[in-house]
Amino acid sequence: MINVKSLSYIYNPKNPYQTIALDDISFTINQGEIIGIIGPSGSGKSCLLRCLAGVLNPTSGSIIINPQESVRPEVGLIIQEPEIQFFNETVYQEIAFALENRGLARDSIEKIVETVLRKTGYRGDSCQSPYQLSGGEQRRIAIACVLALDPQILLLDEPTVGLDFCGLKMVEQIIANFRIEHKTVVIVSHDLDFLYRNVDRYLVINQGKITADFGKSDFEDYIELISKSGLAIPELVELKVKGIPDDLLQGLMDLGL
C-alpha cells in the first residue's frame, strides 16, 4: 500500500518566484493496483513520481509505503529521458552495477542481466555503449536496469515514448506480469489509449491538485473533465459511447487497439 497524505512540493521555496508543483494532495494506492496518472503538461505528474520514488523530498506531507512492514519495498522509477539515468560504459555494466553493489555472485548477475534483456526484447550487444543506442533501445535498457532489482512497485514516466509496436507490447507484457504477481504499477502518460488497455484506476492532476480519482469502469463519467485537460479520449471509449457491443470492444482491446 502507498499512503500519500497532504503532500506538497515547491520548487525554489525560498524564491519569490517559487513554483508549486504539488499542492496538498492525498490518496491511497492498494497493493497490486495499476494506476494511471493523467493531466496537462506541467501539472505535477512527473514530480509526484519522483516523490514516490524518494528522489525528491516533499516540502510538506508524507508518503508511507507498506506501513505494516519494517522494510521499505524496492521501488523502481523509469524517467521520461532514460539516457539521463546512464553512467556506465556498456549496457551490461549499466544493468549489473546495482547488482554488484548488493554483493551478488558473478554468475547470478550474468543470469539476471540475460533475463531482463530478454524480457525487454533488446537484441543488441551488451558490450555496446548505452549512449550509442536509439531512443527506443535506451528505454529498453532503462527498463531492464529497474527490472533487475525486482521492484515491488514500478513507476513509469511516459513509458511509450520512442517505442515501436513491439516495444509497446513489451511494456504491456511487463505491466501484465506485475499484475499477475500482485505488484503495483503507477504510470504517467499522455497516451490514454495505452492507459485504457492497461490500468485499473486514474488520478487526474491539474495545477498540482488531484481533480478526480476514478476506476476504469467510470471513465465515461469523466470524459468532459479529461477533454478540458487537453487530453485525447481513448478510441475504445469513443466507440463504447457510440454503442459498440462490449464483446467487440474486448476483442479490439485484445488486439491492442
Side-chain angles (χ1 to χ4, degrees):
M1 174 183 288
I2 303 173
N3 188 9
V4 176
K5 186 174 182 180
S6 301
L7 176 68
S8 294
Y9 188 87
I10 301 174
Y11 289 105
N12 303 315
K14 297 182 180 180
N15 191 306
Y17 300 103
Q18 61 183 228
T19 300
I20 300 176
L22 299 172
D23 188 4
D24 192 32
I25 64 174
S26 299
F27 60 90
T28 296
I29 298 175
N30 295 315
Q31 182 178 342
E33 278 194 296
I34 313 296
I35 303 293
I37 299 179
I38 60 178
S41 297
S43 59
K45 304 184 299 298
S46 294
C47 178
L48 174 57
L49 282 195
R50 284 165 170 77
C51 287
L52 292 176
V55 176
L56 297 178
N57 293 319
T59 304
S60 61
S62 64
I63 300 173
I64 300 175
I65 299 179
N66 285 13
Q68 313 239 332
E69 297 184 14
S70 58
V71 179
R72 189 178 190 268
E74 185 72 42
V75 179
L77 170 65
I78 300 172
I79 62 176
Q80 189 171 350
E81 307 85 5
E83 69 278 2
I84 297 177
Q85 294 182 249
F86 301 145
F87 55 92
N88 280 293
E89 294 182 1
T90 70
V91 167
Y92 178 88
Q93 292 172 339
E94 197 66 51
I95 300 171
F97 177 79
L99 300 174
E100 291 170 342
N101 287 342
R102 291 185 173 185
L104 269 67
R106 176 58 53 188
D107 56 344
S108 296
I109 293 175
E110 290 178 354
K111 184 176 180 180
I112 292 172
V113 171
E114 180 183 351
T115 298
V116 295
L117 285 176
R118 185 172 63 251
K119 284 183 178 180
T120 60
Y122 176 70
R123 304 183 186 282
D125 190 339
S126 62
C127 294
Q128 189 170 359
S129 168
Y131 299 102
Q132 296 176 345
L133 303 177
S134 67
E137 289 177 320
Q138 287 181 336
R139 187 163 295 279
R140 290 176 189 270
I141 300 307
I143 293 173
C145 290
V146 170
L147 292 182
L149 299 177
D150 191 25
Q152 300 302 301
I153 299 171
L154 181 62
L155 310 175
L156 302 172
D157 194 353
E158 299 292 351
T160 63
V161 172
L163 291 178
D164 57 14
F165 179 78
C166 291
L168 184 65
K169 293 288 106 181
M170 174 270 296
V171 174
E172 291 188 331
Q173 185 59 57
I174 288 171
I175 295 170
N177 290 341
F178 269 70
R179 185 188 298 280
I180 292 170
E181 297 169 4
H182 203 54
K183 296 179 180 180
T184 303
V185 184
V186 182
I187 312 166
V188 165
S189 181
H190 285 90
D191 187 348
L192 267 63
D193 287 294
F194 168 79
L195 289 180
Y196 192 75
R197 293 194 301 271
N198 293 286
V199 309
D200 308 312
R201 177 177 150 216
Y202 297 84
L203 296 177
V204 183
I205 297 183
N206 200 344
Q207 297 182 345
K209 291 183 175 292
I210 292 181
T211 58
D213 180 349
F214 59 93
K216 179 177 179 177
S217 60
D218 297 321
F219 195 101
E220 294 170 62
D221 297 334
Y222 293 87
I223 288 178
E224 183 177 355
L225 173 66
I226 294 169
S227 296
K228 285 182 178 179
S229 298
L231 301 172
I233 302 302
E235 290 185 29
L236 287 171
V237 174
E238 293 182 338
L239 292 172
K240 187 176 181 181
V241 171
K242 292 177 181 178
I244 302 299
D246 289 343
D247 56 346
L248 180 55
L249 289 174
Q250 185 60 52
L252 293 174
M253 287 185 66
D254 293 341
L255 291 172
L257 301 178

